[in-house]
Amino acid sequence: MKQRLVATCLALAAVLPLGGCGLLPGGEERDTVTVWLMKGSASDAFVRRFTAEFEREHTGLRLDVQVQDWTGVGAKVTAALRSGSAAAPDVIEVGNTQVAQYVDEAELLDLSLESMRDWGMDDWLPGLAEPGNHRGAQYGIPWYAANRVVVYRKDLFRDAGLGRPPATRDEWLTYTKRLNSAGNQGIYLAGQDWYTLAGFVWEEGGELAEEKAGRWRGTLHSPAALRGMDFYRRLQELGRGPKDADEETPPQAEVFARGDVAQIVSVPGAAEAIEEKNPELKGKLGFFPIPGRRSGQPAAVFTGGSDLIVPERSDVQRGAVAVIDALVGRKWQTELARTMHHVPNKAKLADAVRDVPGVAAMAEGAARGRATPASPRAASAEITKALRG
C-alpha cells in the first residue's frame, strides 16, 4: 500500500469532506492509483467524468491522473518503470509501438489472463494488440487508434466526373491520373512518407522485418516489399511531391491548402489545418480509406495510437487493473471516441464515430491496421531511416 501521511489526514478529516485526503468514512484509507495519460489523448472534461464515476464505483480507490507531454516522455517512462518510488505511476499510456521497448527495459505486468477473460482481446484492432504482445504475453492493452486516410477535394472529383471514391487500388491510380491535369496535382505525396509506404508493403504481403532465432532482420528486399515500393513510386509520380523529403518538409497540409492538389494521405485532422489556411475549401473536403487490392476492402495501414501498461512494481496492481478494465470497456471507449474523435480499440465499436466522416474513414481502415515490428528497436529511428532509403 502506498505510504501517506495518515496522521495529518486524520487531523484534517474534521474539516474535509468524507473521503478527502484519501480517507473513507470511519478513517479507512483509500489506495491511490496514479495514472499517466498523454497530452491530447483525453480532454480535461473526460478525465473529470471518468475519475468521478470510477471513484464512486470503487470506493476503496482514489485516482491521481497526471498528464504528460509526448516530447521526451520515453526516458521519463523508463525511469518510472525502474523506480521503486511510491510516487511512480501505476497505469501508463504509451505509444502502441513502444511497448516492446519498455518490456525489454523493465518488468511490466502480464495482463494476458484479463485480456482473454474480461477484455475481449480477439476483437481488438490488430495494430494496437500485436505490438502489445511480447513472446505470447499481453503487456500492452489497446486504448485507442489513429491512422491515415485519403483527404480529397470533392469538387475536383466531381469536376472530373468521379462520383464516388475509388473501390480498389488500381481504380485509385486511374482516378489520380485523371485528376492530374489542368494544372492540378492528382495527389501530393512526398517521396519519403514511410507511414504510407509501410501500408503498401503490407498490402502486397511483405513485412518490414522478421524475427528469426531471436534476431530481427529487415525484409525490405523481398519481392512483396519491392512491389509495395513500386506502387508507391507510381502513385507519387502523379503529383509534384519532392522525392527526397517527407510529408512535413514542407507540411503537406499547407501544400494542399494552396488549392491545386486533389488528394493527400494523412490523418483526418489535417482537414482543419487546410481549412484554416484556406477558408475557401470549407465544405469541399472529403475522406475515404486508402483503397486495397480487392474491391471494398481497405488497404493495410500503419496504425498509431496508445496502449495502457502497468509496471510490475506497482503496489496497487488490482487498482491499476480496475482502471484499465474501465477505460477499455464499451462505455468509456464510446465516450472517448465521441469526444476526442479517436478510433475505438475494437472494430465493432466503430458505430460510435459513424457520424464523423473523417474518423469513420479511419475506423474502416483501422480494421486492417498494422504496427511496426514488435522489436525493442522498432521505436527508434533505424526503421524510419531504412524505409526512407
Side-chain angles (χ1 to χ4, degrees):
M1 181 179 294
K2 291 193 172 184
Q3 300 300 314
R4 299 184 183 86
L5 299 176
V6 178
T8 303
C9 285
L10 289 171
L12 293 172
V15 295
L16 289 174
L18 290 177
C21 204
L23 296 179
L24 294 170
E28 184 181 348
E29 188 181 5
R30 289 176 181 257
D31 284 331
T32 296
V33 183
T34 301
V35 181
W36 280 10
L37 298 183
M38 301 307 302
K39 187 175 182 179
S41 292
S43 66
D44 292 342
F46 175 93
V47 172
R48 286 195 299 270
R49 290 194 299 271
F50 177 78
T51 299
E53 180 166 313
F54 183 86
E55 291 182 348
R56 280 197 305 271
E57 295 179 351
H58 301 81
T59 55
L61 297 174
R62 174 180 173 275
L63 287 190
D64 177 17
V65 180
Q66 302 175 11
V67 178
Q68 310 294 323
D69 285 320
W70 282 106
T71 303
V73 76
K76 191 171 183 179
V77 170
T78 298
L81 290 171
R82 294 174 176 172
S83 171
S85 168
D90 304 294
V91 178
I92 308 174
E93 176 193 350
V94 300
N96 60 323
T97 60
Q98 297 172 334
V99 178
Q101 171 188 336
Y102 296 133
V103 172
D104 188 60
E105 293 176 344
E107 294 181 345
L108 302 182
L109 188 63
D110 183 347
L111 298 167
S112 302
L113 175 61
E114 292 85 356
S115 299
M116 292 184 289
R117 184 187 62 199
D118 305 323
W119 299 335
M121 66 183 302
D122 290 341
D123 297 325
W124 285 340
L125 296 176
L128 295 179
E130 291 171 1
N133 188 292
H134 188 70
R135 303 192 186 284
Q138 195 72 38
Y139 297 100
I141 307 305
W143 192 28
Y144 70 84
N147 49 271
R148 282 155 180 76
V149 299
V150 181
V151 183
Y152 74 103
R153 287 274 300 274
K154 293 185 288 186
D155 57 330
L156 294 183
F157 267 55
R158 185 172 55 251
D159 293 346
L162 305 173
R164 58 167 176 78
T168 66
R169 195 174 66 173
D170 287 342
E171 192 172 50
W172 189 24
L173 278 177
T174 300
Y175 276 34
T176 305
K177 289 175 184 177
R178 186 182 300 184
L179 291 160
N180 194 40
S181 61
N184 292 324
Q185 300 183 61
I187 190 169
Y188 179 86
L189 179 62
Q192 296 185 356
D193 181 352
W194 78 266
Y195 298 103
T196 300
L197 173 59
F200 295 163
V201 170
W202 292 323
E203 183 66 9
E204 288 288 350
E207 297 291 342
L208 307 184
E210 291 181 342
E211 184 183 20
K212 291 184 178 180
R215 297 189 64 185
W216 286 90
R217 296 185 182 278
T219 54
L220 293 175
H221 58 285
S222 72
L226 293 175
R227 288 195 302 270
M229 294 179 192
D230 184 63
F231 178 81
Y232 186 101
R233 177 190 59 79
R234 288 186 287 154
L235 184 66
Q236 198 269 341
E237 288 177 347
L238 298 175
R240 298 189 290 273
K243 289 182 168 57
D244 59 350
D246 63 20
E247 67 280 6
E248 290 301 320
T249 314
Q252 61 178 353
E254 294 183 6
V255 177
F256 193 107
R258 295 172 190 166
D260 65 346
V261 174
Q263 306 171 92
I264 57 172
V265 179
S266 179
V267 293
E272 295 181 13
I274 292 166
E275 291 174 351
E276 184 177 341
K277 287 281 184 182
N278 186 353
E280 293 183 2
L281 293 180
K282 286 186 177 180
K284 297 180 179 179
L285 303 183
F287 313 88
F288 58 84
I290 298 172
R293 297 170 66 190
R294 299 178 182 176
S295 180
Q297 178 175 280
V301 291
F302 171 80
T303 300
S306 289
D307 283 9
L308 301 170
I309 61 174
V310 176
E312 195 168 57
R313 294 185 179 187
S314 168
D315 52 7
V316 283
Q317 289 183 1
R318 293 180 65 181
V321 170
V323 169
I324 293 179
D325 183 71
L327 285 174
V328 304
R330 175 180 288 272
K331 173 181 172 60
W332 291 106
Q333 278 289 295
T334 300
E335 179 81 1
L336 187 71
R338 288 176 176 167
T339 57
M340 300 303 297
H341 293 172
H342 295 322
V343 176
N345 63 5
K346 296 176 180 177
K348 65 182 182 182
L349 298 178
D351 281 352
V353 292
R354 65 182 175 183
D355 296 329
V356 186
V359 188
M362 269 204 305
E364 191 175 346
R368 298 200 64 227
R370 299 278 303 273
T372 50
S375 161
R377 298 174 61 191
S380 67
E382 281 100 352
I383 192 165
T384 61
K385 289 177 181 176
L387 284 164
R388 286 173 179 169

